[in-house]
Amino acid sequence: MIPAKFDYVRPSSVDEAVAALRDAGEDAKILAGGQSLLPVLRLRLAAPSVIIDLGGIADLRRIAEDGDRIAIGAMAPHHDVMRDDLVKQHVSLLSQATATVADPQVRHRGTLGGALAHADPAGDLGAVALALDAEFVIAGASGTRTVPASEFFVDYFTTAIGEGEILTQVRFPKYTGWATHYEKFNRTAQAWSMCAVAVALRIDGGSIAEARVGLTNMGTTPIRASGVEAALVGQQANEDSARAAAEHATEGTAAPSDADAASDYREHLARVLTGRAVLAAAG
Amino acid sequence: MTTTAEPTTELGKARTRKEDARLITGRTRYTDAITPHGTLHMFVVRSPIAHATITSVDKSAAEAAPGVLGVFTAADLGVEAVGLPCAWPITPDMKSPQRPLLATGTVHFAGEGVAVVVARTPAEARDAADLVEIDYDPLEPVLDMEAALADGATLVHPDLGTNENATWVFDSGAAGTGGSVDEAIAAAEADPDSIVLKRRFRQQRLIPAFMEPRSCVVDPTGEQITVWAATQVPHILRTMTTVTLGVPEAKLRVIAPDVGGGFGGKIGVLPEEMLCVALAQRLNKPVKWTETRSESLLAAHHGRDQIQDITITAKKDGTVTGLDVHLLADMGAYLGLVGPGVPILGAFMFNAIYKFPALKFTCTNVFTTKTLTDAYRGAGRPEATFAIERIMDELAVELGRDPMDLRKQNWIAHEEFPFTTVVGLTYDTGNYEQATEQAMATFDYAGLRREQEERRARGDKVQLGIGISTFTEMCGLAPSRVLGSLAYGAGGWEAASIRMLATGKVEVVTGSSAHGQGHETAFSQIVADQLGVPFEDVEILHGDTQISPKGLDTYGSRSLAVGGIAIVKAADKVIAKAKKLAAHLLEASEDDIEFNAGQFTVRGTDKGKAIQELAFAAFMAHDYPEDMEPSLDAEAVYDPENFSFPHGTHLAAMEVDTETGKVALRRYVCVDDIGNVVNPLIAEGQVHGGLAQGIAQALFEEANYDDQGTLVNGTFVDYTLPSAADLPSFESSTVSTPSTSNPLGVKGVGEAGTIASTPAIVNGVIDALRHLGVTEVEMPTTSQRVWRAIQEAQGRSTQETPVDTHSPGAGLGSIDPNNPQGEVQ
Ligand SMILES: Cc1cc2nc3c(=O)[nH]c(=O)nc-3n(C[C@H](O)[C@H](O)[C@H](O)COP(=O)(O)OP(=O)(O)OC[C@H]3O[C@@H](n4cnc5c(N)ncnc54)[C@H](O)[C@@H]3O)c2cc1C
C-alpha cells in the first residue's frame, strides 16, 4: 500500500491529541483501528497531511460501568466490546451486532469509536447506538460535550463531530434483561450489511412493554424504525404481531440502490428481516 | 477422505507438503522481495477510460518529481511497433490486432497502460504517476458482444474491419467422427417421439484473483539478463521475450521463484514484463514492477465471459441424439497468449460422458473494449461442463425423468471403455457407475428427495434443491500432435532430468513450474518409489531456466500426468545405467540383475549393490564398463499419447430462502475418479480449492462493467470472493480407475473441482425453485437475482437492478471507489 505522503503523530493523551488536531488544521485525520481509513488512503480517496494516531491513549480503550450507563472508550476494539461481560449483560444488542462485524482480524483492529465516527450507512453499529439512545462524548479545544445519538448521525459519512474534535466515549443506558437481536443480511458471510435490523424489546408478562428498533443501510444514516416500535408496544411477541409491525419497517427510509440490492429489494428485505429480528429477540 | 491403511510405497502416502514450512512462515522470497542492489521501480500510468484517443501526454511535472529517473511512453522507448504474442491462431484468417506494450494513439480498455514512471523507490514512482497529465478524447465503448457483431457497430480496432476475431467450427458430420447435427435436429423436429430443446446460458466474466500480485524484476547487469517473475510459465516467458523483443534466448535467464497462485492468470506474457526488460536495458539497472491489487483486478487477464446457445435433441425415451453449440466468447480488447483458444478447449467436452451421435460446435470470438480474457482454471472445460450438465437437467425436467437416471441412460458404460467420442477423443478408462453409486450413497439422494417433497408439500419458506454434475474433463495438456492439429503454437511435452549425487542424494529437475501445487512433495514421492531412495533424499529443482533449461511449465492439470511421467522416464534411464554398472561391479550378467527397492542384486544370490553405492562408484569412476559413461544421470522428454480423463459425480444440497432469495450450500458430496493418487492430502487440497473456485462462480463472483466501460469491481470490496465462512465442510472422496495412457495410471486433478462444481450448484438452486415456476437464474445466483426470479415467475414485476453501482463490501463499506461521493475529505 502506497498512500500519499503524510506526517504521523501519536499523542499519549486526549489533550495532546486535541492540541495536535488544532496544530494540524483541517488536513488532519484521526487514525483509530485504520480498518476504514487505510483502504481510503490506499485508494488515495483522501490525502491527509497529518495522521493523528489515537492508539497511544490507553484510557480510550476502557469499558466501564458508570452509574446507570456503560461507558465504552472510543478506542475499544470490536473484539473487546463483543466479549465484555458488562456489555453482554447490559447492552447485549451491541455485543450481538459487533459479533457480525467483518472477521476476527478486522474486529481486533477496528474500534467502536472509529466505526461510529466513520458513519458508513452500511456499518452495523450506528443502528444499535441510535436504537438504544447512546450518548457520544466529544472532546475539543473548548472542552467536552455530549451529543445524543438522535443528533449524532448527520448524513452519509457525516456526524456531529466537528473540526478539531475527537470522539472519546460512547455511553449506553443499561438495557438489563431486555430481549435483543441483530438480524444482518449480507452477500458473503463476512461482508457489510446489505440491510440489517437491530431490535431490543422489554417484555413484561409475555407482552411487549417497550421496543427499540434501528435499521442499517436503509438511508444515508442509521434509521430509527419508530413505526415498528409503536406497532409492537402492547402486543404479544408472536408471528402475527411481528409481521404486522414489520409492515412499518420502510416508513421514513430512503433505501439506496446498488448492484447487490436495488431499493425495492432492500425494502422487501427490511420488512422480512424486521419480522425475523423481532421473533428472534423474543426467543 | 476415505481412510485406508498407510501404504508401504510412497505412492498413496498422505504426506504434508515439504514446501509449506518456507511458504507458511514467510521465509521464502516471492518476486517482490527480490531487490538486487540499485533496483529502480516502475509504475504504470493507466487509462481510466475504456476507449479513447490520447490527445496529449504531459510528463513534465512527473519528471521533475523527487526520485524520478524518467517517464516514458511507447514512443520514448521506441517500442511502438512491438506487439505481444498470441500463440494460438485458431483459424488461418483469425483477426489479430497488435497488442502494444503501452497504448499509442488509442486506448482500448480501462486499465491499459499509457506511460510508465521509473523512480528510485516504489513510493516515488507511485506519487509521480499522479502527476502525469494525459488528455483523452473519449470514443464509444464496445461492451456487448451481440451489439459488437451487428452492422454499423463501433469497431474496437477499425483497421481489422470487424469486431469478430474468428469463428471456429467443429462438425462431427464433416469430421467423420459422428453424424450431422443439422440432420439430427431436422429428424427430431419431424419425429413426434423426439424433442428439441434450446437454452441460453451465460458465463459471467471472472477474475482469477491469485493471492500474490503479479511482479517482475529484471537485472541487466550480468552476461545474461535475469528476469524474476511471478509467473506459471518461466520457460515460455523466456522464449516469448525473445520473440517479442528480439533479445537472444541464450542471453535470458528467467526465474520463477515461489509463486503465490496463478489459476491460469499467470500464464501470460505481460506488457509490464517486457517494459521492465526494455527499461533495464536502457537504464542499465535492475527494474522492478509489482502491481497493486486494484491494478491486478483491472488489468490482469480475466476469464470465462461467454454466451452459450445450446440445442439438444433426444428421443422421448431419453436417448440423446444431437447437440448443437453456439458460443460467443468475449476476448476483450486484445488477444492473450492463448486467449482465442480457450473456448476451443471446451469444444471437445460438450458431449462430456454421454454417447451423443452428433455434435456441432461453433464459436465466434468477439473484441470488446474490456480487459482481455485468457485461461482461468479449467479454461474452456468449465464452460462446456456447465452447459451440458445444465441442459441434461432441463431435458430431464422436460421428459419428466429423474436427472440422474437420464444421465445413466446416456453415459458411456464402464465396459464400453476405451471409448471414442463423437469429437474423436478416446477416453481410455472410466467408471461412472462406481463414482455415482458411492456419491449417491454418501449423499443419501433418496432421503434428500423425500425431504424436498415434504418441504414443497408444506410450502416451507426454505426450499431444498438437489444439484447434480457428472463431469469429465480432458487434461494433462497435451499430445503435441493434437496441439499441432489445432494450430497451437507449441508442443505439449515435458522434460525432466535426474542427477545422482556422489553421496547418494538425488536432484530432480523438472520443467513443470509449481506455483502452489505441492510438486516438490508429490514428485519426491514418485522418485523415492522409482529409485528406492528415502523421500528425504530427493530434492526437486524447478522454475529457473539455468537449472531447468527445458520445459513447458504448469497449466491444464498437466504437471503430474505429463511432468511426473517425464520424471518416471528419466528414472527408468537412471535404473538402466545403474543396472549396467552393478552387473559390471558384481561380475554378473546384466540379465541376472534384479532391481527392487533401491537394491540391485544378482538373481539367486545375496550379492548386491545399493543405488547409493552405485552413484558413488559412478562418481569415483575407478571401475566402470567400457561402453558406458561414468554417470547415472539421465534426462527424458515425455510427450503424452493421450489426454487424461478424470471424472466424478458431484452432488449439492442447496437451501434457498424463498422470502429473501438467499442461497445456502448445505452439503457438497463429490466422488472423483482421478486414477492412482500420489498424495491423497495434496489431491484433496486441489479438489477443495477447485470446488471453492467453481462454487464461487455459481454463487459469488462476477466482474461487471458500467455503461462507460469501467470495471465496477476494482477492489475486493466488490469482487466478492467467498471465504471459508461461506462454504460447508466438503465431503470429498476418490475412487480409482487407473489411466492406461501413462505408466503411473494417474489423471489430472488441478481443475476437476472447478469444472465439476459450478453446474452442480446452479442445478441445485433451480431444482429448489422449479416448482415455483423458476427455470433460470443467471450466475452468480445472488439473493437478489433469486428473489427477482421468484417474483417474475409468480407474475410480479420488479425494478431494474443497477449492475454498475458499487455495493457495500469488505473494507470500504459503501464508499464507491469509482465515485467517492460523500467520502471523508
Ligand atoms: C474487511 C472489512 C470488513 C468490514 N466489515 C464491516 C461490517 O461488516 N460491519 C461494520 O460495521 N463495519 C465493518 N468494517 C469496518 C470496521 O468496523 C471498522 O472498524 C470501522 O469502520 C472503522 O473503525 P476503525 O477503528 O478501524 O477506524 P479508522 O479506520 O481508523 O477511522 C475511520 C474514520 O473515523 C475517524 N475516526 C476514528 N476514530 C475517531 C475518533 N475517536 N474521533 C473522531 N474521528 C475518528 C477517522 O479519522 C476516519 O475518518 C469492515 C472493515 C473491513 C476492513
PDB file of all heavy atoms in Angstrom, chain A residues 29-30 32-37 54 78 101-102 106 110-111 114-115 117-118 123-124 167 184 191-192, chain B residues 810-811, ligand 1:
ATOM      1  N   LYS A  29      -6.154  13.938   9.955  1.00  0.00           N
ATOM      2  CA  LYS A  29      -7.102  12.826  10.045  1.00  0.00           C
ATOM      3  C   LYS A  29      -6.757  12.003  11.267  1.00  0.00           C
ATOM      4  O   LYS A  29      -5.589  11.753  11.553  1.00  0.00           O
ATOM      5  CB  LYS A  29      -6.912  11.966   8.815  1.00  0.00           C
ATOM      6  CG  LYS A  29      -7.935  11.549   7.954  1.00  0.00           C
ATOM      7  CD  LYS A  29      -9.199  11.596   7.653  1.00  0.00           C
ATOM      8  CE  LYS A  29     -10.462  11.923   7.238  1.00  0.00           C
ATOM      9  NZ  LYS A  29     -11.461  11.949   8.232  1.00  0.00           N
ATOM     10  N   ILE A  30      -7.796  11.601  11.965  1.00  0.00           N
ATOM     11  CA  ILE A  30      -7.565  10.748  13.136  1.00  0.00           C
ATOM     12  C   ILE A  30      -7.499   9.296  12.684  1.00  0.00           C
ATOM     13  O   ILE A  30      -8.274   8.862  11.837  1.00  0.00           O
ATOM     14  CB  ILE A  30      -8.700  10.958  14.158  1.00  0.00           C
ATOM     15  CG1 ILE A  30      -8.517  12.328  14.809  1.00  0.00           C
ATOM     16  CG2 ILE A  30      -8.714   9.843  15.200  1.00  0.00           C
ATOM     17  CD1 ILE A  30      -9.696  12.755  15.605  1.00  0.00           C
ATOM     18  N   ALA A  32      -7.878   5.534  14.094  1.00  0.00           N
ATOM     19  CA  ALA A  32      -8.248   4.646  15.207  1.00  0.00           C
ATOM     20  C   ALA A  32      -7.713   3.258  14.854  1.00  0.00           C
ATOM     21  O   ALA A  32      -6.515   3.032  14.867  1.00  0.00           O
ATOM     22  CB  ALA A  32      -9.752   4.675  15.407  1.00  0.00           C
ATOM     23  N   GLY A  33      -8.599   2.337  14.441  1.00  0.00           N
ATOM     24  CA  GLY A  33      -8.114   0.999  14.054  1.00  0.00           C
ATOM     25  C   GLY A  33      -7.623   0.941  12.626  1.00  0.00           C
ATOM     26  O   GLY A  33      -7.009  -0.048  12.203  1.00  0.00           O
ATOM     27  N   GLY A  34      -7.902   1.974  11.867  1.00  0.00           N
ATOM     28  CA  GLY A  34      -7.416   2.040  10.479  1.00  0.00           C
ATOM     29  C   GLY A  34      -8.167   1.150   9.505  1.00  0.00           C
ATOM     30  O   GLY A  34      -7.820   1.098   8.327  1.00  0.00           O
ATOM     31  N   GLN A  35      -9.208   0.479   9.961  1.00  0.00           N
ATOM     32  CA  GLN A  35      -9.864  -0.508   9.089  1.00  0.00           C
ATOM     33  C   GLN A  35     -10.715   0.143   8.001  1.00  0.00           C
ATOM     34  O   GLN A  35     -11.013  -0.472   6.988  1.00  0.00           O
ATOM     35  CB  GLN A  35     -10.709  -1.472   9.920  1.00  0.00           C
ATOM     36  CG  GLN A  35      -9.871  -2.288  10.876  1.00  0.00           C
ATOM     37  CD  GLN A  35      -8.758  -3.032  10.152  1.00  0.00           C
ATOM     38  OE1 GLN A  35      -9.011  -3.943   9.391  1.00  0.00           O
ATOM     39  NE2 GLN A  35      -7.526  -2.613  10.368  1.00  0.00           N
ATOM     40  N   SER A  36     -11.089   1.379   8.215  1.00  0.00           N
ATOM     41  CA  SER A  36     -11.770   2.114   7.144  1.00  0.00           C
ATOM     42  C   SER A  36     -10.848   3.167   6.552  1.00  0.00           C
ATOM     43  O   SER A  36     -10.875   3.415   5.355  1.00  0.00           O
ATOM     44  CB  SER A  36     -13.039   2.789   7.680  1.00  0.00           C
ATOM     45  OG  SER A  36     -13.986   1.810   8.018  1.00  0.00           O
ATOM     46  N   LEU A  37     -10.024   3.767   7.415  1.00  0.00           N
ATOM     47  CA  LEU A  37      -9.159   4.839   6.922  1.00  0.00           C
ATOM     48  C   LEU A  37      -8.085   4.312   5.964  1.00  0.00           C
ATOM     49  O   LEU A  37      -7.807   4.925   4.938  1.00  0.00           O
ATOM     50  CB  LEU A  37      -8.507   5.563   8.108  1.00  0.00           C
ATOM     51  CG  LEU A  37      -7.666   6.785   7.728  1.00  0.00           C
ATOM     52  CD1 LEU A  37      -8.508   7.822   6.998  1.00  0.00           C
ATOM     53  CD2 LEU A  37      -7.035   7.410   8.966  1.00  0.00           C
ATOM     54  N   LEU A  54      -4.597   7.573  17.588  1.00  0.00           N
ATOM     55  CA  LEU A  54      -5.080   7.541  18.973  1.00  0.00           C
ATOM     56  C   LEU A  54      -4.653   6.273  19.713  1.00  0.00           C
ATOM     57  O   LEU A  54      -5.014   6.085  20.873  1.00  0.00           O
ATOM     58  CB  LEU A  54      -6.614   7.656  19.005  1.00  0.00           C
ATOM     59  CG  LEU A  54      -7.242   8.889  18.347  1.00  0.00           C
ATOM     60  CD1 LEU A  54      -8.745   8.898  18.576  1.00  0.00           C
ATOM     61  CD2 LEU A  54      -6.626  10.183  18.873  1.00  0.00           C
ATOM     62  N   HIS A  78     -13.515  -3.823  18.515  1.00  0.00           N
ATOM     63  CA  HIS A  78     -14.754  -4.603  18.415  1.00  0.00           C
ATOM     64  C   HIS A  78     -14.651  -5.896  19.213  1.00  0.00           C
ATOM     65  O   HIS A  78     -15.608  -6.319  19.853  1.00  0.00           O
ATOM     66  CB  HIS A  78     -15.035  -4.958  16.939  1.00  0.00           C
ATOM     67  CG  HIS A  78     -15.215  -3.777  16.048  1.00  0.00           C
ATOM     68  ND1 HIS A  78     -16.014  -2.710  16.381  1.00  0.00           N
ATOM     69  CD2 HIS A  78     -14.713  -3.496  14.823  1.00  0.00           C
ATOM     70  CE1 HIS A  78     -15.993  -1.826  15.391  1.00  0.00           C
ATOM     71  NE2 HIS A  78     -15.204  -2.271  14.432  1.00  0.00           N
ATOM     72  N   VAL A 101     -19.663  -7.948  12.775  1.00  0.00           N
ATOM     73  CA  VAL A 101     -18.786  -7.063  12.012  1.00  0.00           C
ATOM     74  C   VAL A 101     -17.625  -7.878  11.430  1.00  0.00           C
ATOM     75  O   VAL A 101     -16.842  -8.467  12.167  1.00  0.00           O
ATOM     76  CB  VAL A 101     -18.234  -5.917  12.893  1.00  0.00           C
ATOM     77  CG1 VAL A 101     -17.148  -5.145  12.162  1.00  0.00           C
ATOM     78  CG2 VAL A 101     -19.360  -4.993  13.333  1.00  0.00           C
ATOM     79  N   ALA A 102     -17.553  -7.942  10.128  1.00  0.00           N
ATOM     80  CA  ALA A 102     -16.390  -8.480   9.427  1.00  0.00           C
ATOM     81  C   ALA A 102     -15.898  -9.809   9.996  1.00  0.00           C
ATOM     82  O   ALA A 102     -16.676 -10.715  10.252  1.00  0.00           O
ATOM     83  CB  ALA A 102     -15.267  -7.449   9.414  1.00  0.00           C
ATOM     84  N   VAL A 106     -10.330  -8.051  11.503  1.00  0.00           N
ATOM     85  CA  VAL A 106     -10.859  -6.684  11.497  1.00  0.00           C
ATOM     86  C   VAL A 106     -11.378  -6.331  12.888  1.00  0.00           C
ATOM     87  O   VAL A 106     -11.183  -5.206  13.366  1.00  0.00           O
ATOM     88  CB  VAL A 106     -11.972  -6.542  10.433  1.00  0.00           C
ATOM     89  CG1 VAL A 106     -12.672  -5.191  10.552  1.00  0.00           C
ATOM     90  CG2 VAL A 106     -11.400  -6.722   9.036  1.00  0.00           C
ATOM     91  N   GLY A 110     -10.315  -2.884  14.385  1.00  0.00           N
ATOM     92  CA  GLY A 110     -11.336  -1.845  14.280  1.00  0.00           C
ATOM     93  C   GLY A 110     -11.934  -1.524  15.634  1.00  0.00           C
ATOM     94  O   GLY A 110     -11.988  -2.364  16.533  1.00  0.00           O
ATOM     95  N   THR A 111     -12.375  -0.273  15.799  1.00  0.00           N
ATOM     96  CA  THR A 111     -12.861   0.191  17.101  1.00  0.00           C
ATOM     97  C   THR A 111     -14.305   0.665  17.017  1.00  0.00           C
ATOM     98  O   THR A 111     -14.787   1.047  15.944  1.00  0.00           O
ATOM     99  CB  THR A 111     -12.005   1.371  17.592  1.00  0.00           C
ATOM    100  OG1 THR A 111     -12.202   2.478  16.684  1.00  0.00           O
ATOM    101  CG2 THR A 111     -10.521   1.013  17.627  1.00  0.00           C
ATOM    102  N   GLY A 114     -14.226   4.369  16.072  1.00  0.00           N
ATOM    103  CA  GLY A 114     -13.873   4.539  14.658  1.00  0.00           C
ATOM    104  C   GLY A 114     -15.055   4.216  13.765  1.00  0.00           C
ATOM    105  O   GLY A 114     -15.354   4.945  12.814  1.00  0.00           O
ATOM    106  N   ALA A 115     -15.742   3.141  14.084  1.00  0.00           N
ATOM    107  CA  ALA A 115     -16.872   2.733  13.259  1.00  0.00           C
ATOM    108  C   ALA A 115     -17.970   3.787  13.300  1.00  0.00           C
ATOM    109  O   ALA A 115     -18.553   4.145  12.269  1.00  0.00           O
ATOM    110  CB  ALA A 115     -17.403   1.383  13.718  1.00  0.00           C
ATOM    111  N   ALA A 117     -17.665   7.032  14.229  1.00  0.00           N
ATOM    112  CA  ALA A 117     -17.206   8.306  13.667  1.00  0.00           C
ATOM    113  C   ALA A 117     -17.181   8.250  12.145  1.00  0.00           C
ATOM    114  O   ALA A 117     -17.453   9.230  11.471  1.00  0.00           O
ATOM    115  CB  ALA A 117     -15.806   8.639  14.200  1.00  0.00           C
ATOM    116  N   HIS A 118     -16.865   7.092  11.622  1.00  0.00           N
ATOM    117  CA  HIS A 118     -16.817   6.916  10.173  1.00  0.00           C
ATOM    118  C   HIS A 118     -18.218   7.048   9.559  1.00  0.00           C
ATOM    119  O   HIS A 118     -18.385   7.566   8.467  1.00  0.00           O
ATOM    120  CB  HIS A 118     -16.213   5.539   9.860  1.00  0.00           C
ATOM    121  CG  HIS A 118     -15.836   5.353   8.432  1.00  0.00           C
ATOM    122  ND1 HIS A 118     -15.003   6.212   7.764  1.00  0.00           N
ATOM    123  CD2 HIS A 118     -16.190   4.400   7.530  1.00  0.00           C
ATOM    124  CE1 HIS A 118     -14.855   5.801   6.518  1.00  0.00           C
ATOM    125  NE2 HIS A 118     -15.573   4.710   6.353  1.00  0.00           N
ATOM    126  N   GLY A 123     -22.516   0.400   7.902  1.00  0.00           N
ATOM    127  CA  GLY A 123     -21.918  -0.075   9.159  1.00  0.00           C
ATOM    128  C   GLY A 123     -22.995  -0.568  10.111  1.00  0.00           C
ATOM    129  O   GLY A 123     -24.133  -0.093  10.083  1.00  0.00           O
ATOM    130  N   ASP A 124     -22.634  -1.505  10.965  1.00  0.00           N
ATOM    131  CA  ASP A 124     -23.643  -2.181  11.783  1.00  0.00           C
ATOM    132  C   ASP A 124     -23.931  -1.507  13.124  1.00  0.00           C
ATOM    133  O   ASP A 124     -24.920  -1.821  13.766  1.00  0.00           O
ATOM    134  CB  ASP A 124     -23.173  -3.618  12.059  1.00  0.00           C
ATOM    135  CG  ASP A 124     -23.203  -4.451  10.790  1.00  0.00           C
ATOM    136  OD1 ASP A 124     -24.275  -4.559  10.188  1.00  0.00           O
ATOM    137  OD2 ASP A 124     -22.126  -4.960  10.391  1.00  0.00           O
ATOM    138  N   LEU A 167     -14.010  12.047  19.161  1.00  0.00           N
ATOM    139  CA  LEU A 167     -14.961  11.221  19.909  1.00  0.00           C
ATOM    140  C   LEU A 167     -14.156  10.436  20.941  1.00  0.00           C
ATOM    141  O   LEU A 167     -13.189   9.767  20.585  1.00  0.00           O
ATOM    142  CB  LEU A 167     -15.679  10.270  18.943  1.00  0.00           C
ATOM    143  CG  LEU A 167     -16.619   9.244  19.572  1.00  0.00           C
ATOM    144  CD1 LEU A 167     -17.820   9.916  20.218  1.00  0.00           C
ATOM    145  CD2 LEU A 167     -17.078   8.237  18.508  1.00  0.00           C
ATOM    146  N   LYS A 184     -28.789  -9.597  10.430  1.00  0.00           N
ATOM    147  CA  LYS A 184     -27.968  -8.987   9.379  1.00  0.00           C
ATOM    148  C   LYS A 184     -28.079  -9.790   8.098  1.00  0.00           C
ATOM    149  O   LYS A 184     -28.099 -11.022   8.125  1.00  0.00           O
ATOM    150  CB  LYS A 184     -26.514  -8.954   9.863  1.00  0.00           C
ATOM    151  CG  LYS A 184     -25.490  -8.546   8.821  1.00  0.00           C
ATOM    152  CD  LYS A 184     -24.187  -8.161   9.487  1.00  0.00           C
ATOM    153  CE  LYS A 184     -23.071  -7.961   8.475  1.00  0.00           C
ATOM    154  NZ  LYS A 184     -21.910  -7.295   9.050  1.00  0.00           N
ATOM    155  N   ALA A 191     -19.209  -9.973   5.038  1.00  0.00           N
ATOM    156  CA  ALA A 191     -19.296  -8.668   4.380  1.00  0.00           C
ATOM    157  C   ALA A 191     -20.181  -7.702   5.167  1.00  0.00           C
ATOM    158  O   ALA A 191     -20.844  -8.075   6.131  1.00  0.00           O
ATOM    159  CB  ALA A 191     -19.853  -8.847   2.977  1.00  0.00           C
ATOM    160  N   TRP A 192     -20.181  -6.484   4.697  1.00  0.00           N
ATOM    161  CA  TRP A 192     -21.022  -5.445   5.280  1.00  0.00           C
ATOM    162  C   TRP A 192     -22.496  -5.780   5.047  1.00  0.00           C
ATOM    163  O   TRP A 192     -22.824  -6.591   4.191  1.00  0.00           O
ATOM    164  CB  TRP A 192     -20.735  -4.111   4.601  1.00  0.00           C
ATOM    165  CG  TRP A 192     -19.357  -3.589   4.796  1.00  0.00           C
ATOM    166  CD1 TRP A 192     -18.220  -4.059   4.223  1.00  0.00           C
ATOM    167  CD2 TRP A 192     -18.983  -2.475   5.605  1.00  0.00           C
ATOM    168  NE1 TRP A 192     -17.151  -3.299   4.631  1.00  0.00           N
ATOM    169  CE2 TRP A 192     -17.601  -2.309   5.468  1.00  0.00           C
ATOM    170  CE3 TRP A 192     -19.687  -1.583   6.405  1.00  0.00           C
ATOM    171  CZ2 TRP A 192     -16.896  -1.310   6.126  1.00  0.00           C
ATOM    172  CZ3 TRP A 192     -19.002  -0.570   7.052  1.00  0.00           C
ATOM    173  CH2 TRP A 192     -17.606  -0.444   6.930  1.00  0.00           C
TER     174      TRP A 192
ATOM    175  N   ALA B 810     -16.408  -5.737   1.861  1.00  0.00           N
ATOM    176  CA  ALA B 810     -15.315  -5.723   2.816  1.00  0.00           C
ATOM    177  C   ALA B 810     -14.466  -4.469   2.698  1.00  0.00           C
ATOM    178  O   ALA B 810     -14.015  -4.116   1.623  1.00  0.00           O
ATOM    179  CB  ALA B 810     -14.449  -6.946   2.603  1.00  0.00           C
ATOM    180  N   GLY B 811     -14.267  -3.824   3.798  1.00  0.00           N
ATOM    181  CA  GLY B 811     -13.265  -2.772   3.855  1.00  0.00           C
ATOM    182  C   GLY B 811     -13.756  -1.366   3.604  1.00  0.00           C
ATOM    183  O   GLY B 811     -13.502  -0.477   4.377  1.00  0.00           O
TER     184      GLY B 811
HETATM  185  C1  LIG C   1     -12.715  -6.254   5.543  1.00  0.00           C
HETATM  186  C2  LIG C   1     -13.555  -5.329   6.381  1.00  0.00           C
HETATM  187  C3  LIG C   1     -14.871  -5.666   6.645  1.00  0.00           C
HETATM  188  C4  LIG C   1     -15.651  -4.840   7.419  1.00  0.00           C
HETATM  189  N1  LIG C   1     -16.933  -5.216   7.679  1.00  0.00           N
HETATM  190  C5  LIG C   1     -17.699  -4.451   8.483  1.00  0.00           C
HETATM  191  C6  LIG C   1     -19.023  -4.845   8.822  1.00  0.00           C
HETATM  192  O1  LIG C   1     -19.497  -5.906   8.442  1.00  0.00           O
HETATM  193  N2  LIG C   1     -19.761  -4.021   9.602  1.00  0.00           N
HETATM  194  C7  LIG C   1     -19.248  -2.848  10.079  1.00  0.00           C
HETATM  195  O2  LIG C   1     -19.962  -2.138  10.792  1.00  0.00           O
HETATM  196  N3  LIG C   1     -18.004  -2.465   9.789  1.00  0.00           N
HETATM  197  C8  LIG C   1     -17.217  -3.236   9.013  1.00  0.00           C
HETATM  198  N4  LIG C   1     -15.926  -2.844   8.738  1.00  0.00           N
HETATM  199  C9  LIG C   1     -15.451  -1.585   9.294  1.00  0.00           C
HETATM  200  C10 LIG C   1     -14.915  -1.751  10.721  1.00  0.00           C
HETATM  201  O3  LIG C   1     -15.998  -1.832  11.601  1.00  0.00           O
HETATM  202  C11 LIG C   1     -14.041  -0.589  11.101  1.00  0.00           C
HETATM  203  O4  LIG C   1     -13.524  -0.918  12.319  1.00  0.00           O
HETATM  204  C12 LIG C   1     -14.699   0.751  11.217  1.00  0.00           C
HETATM  205  O5  LIG C   1     -15.431   1.115  10.091  1.00  0.00           O
HETATM  206  C13 LIG C   1     -13.690   1.840  11.438  1.00  0.00           C
HETATM  207  O6  LIG C   1     -13.099   1.682  12.673  1.00  0.00           O
HETATM  208  P1  LIG C   1     -11.562   1.921  12.858  1.00  0.00           P
HETATM  209  O7  LIG C   1     -11.323   1.886  14.306  1.00  0.00           O
HETATM  210  O8  LIG C   1     -10.806   0.978  12.046  1.00  0.00           O
HETATM  211  O9  LIG C   1     -11.407   3.449  12.343  1.00  0.00           O
HETATM  212  P2  LIG C   1     -10.417   4.115  11.314  1.00  0.00           P
HETATM  213  O10 LIG C   1     -10.429   3.397  10.035  1.00  0.00           O
HETATM  214  O11 LIG C   1      -9.117   4.348  11.948  1.00  0.00           O
HETATM  215  O12 LIG C   1     -11.148   5.510  11.142  1.00  0.00           O
HETATM  216  C14 LIG C   1     -12.346   5.639  10.419  1.00  0.00           C
HETATM  217  C15 LIG C   1     -12.740   7.117  10.317  1.00  0.00           C
HETATM  218  O13 LIG C   1     -13.195   7.615  11.558  1.00  0.00           O
HETATM  219  C16 LIG C   1     -12.366   8.685  12.021  1.00  0.00           C
HETATM  220  N5  LIG C   1     -12.179   8.454  13.459  1.00  0.00           N
HETATM  221  C17 LIG C   1     -11.760   7.280  14.011  1.00  0.00           C
HETATM  222  N6  LIG C   1     -11.759   7.401  15.345  1.00  0.00           N
HETATM  223  C18 LIG C   1     -12.171   8.662  15.648  1.00  0.00           C
HETATM  224  C19 LIG C   1     -12.376   9.363  16.867  1.00  0.00           C
HETATM  225  N7  LIG C   1     -12.167   8.766  18.051  1.00  0.00           N
HETATM  226  N8  LIG C   1     -12.802  10.629  16.815  1.00  0.00           N
HETATM  227  C20 LIG C   1     -13.042  11.229  15.616  1.00  0.00           C
HETATM  228  N9  LIG C   1     -12.871  10.603  14.429  1.00  0.00           N
HETATM  229  C21 LIG C   1     -12.446   9.337  14.445  1.00  0.00           C
HETATM  230  C22 LIG C   1     -11.106   8.571  11.217  1.00  0.00           C
HETATM  231  O14 LIG C   1     -10.495   9.813  11.073  1.00  0.00           O
HETATM  232  C23 LIG C   1     -11.594   8.014   9.906  1.00  0.00           C
HETATM  233  O15 LIG C   1     -12.124   9.049   9.121  1.00  0.00           O
HETATM  234  C24 LIG C   1     -15.120  -3.645   7.955  1.00  0.00           C
HETATM  235  C25 LIG C   1     -13.807  -3.302   7.689  1.00  0.00           C
HETATM  236  C26 LIG C   1     -13.008  -4.138   6.915  1.00  0.00           C
HETATM  237  C27 LIG C   1     -11.589  -3.772   6.655  1.00  0.00           C
END
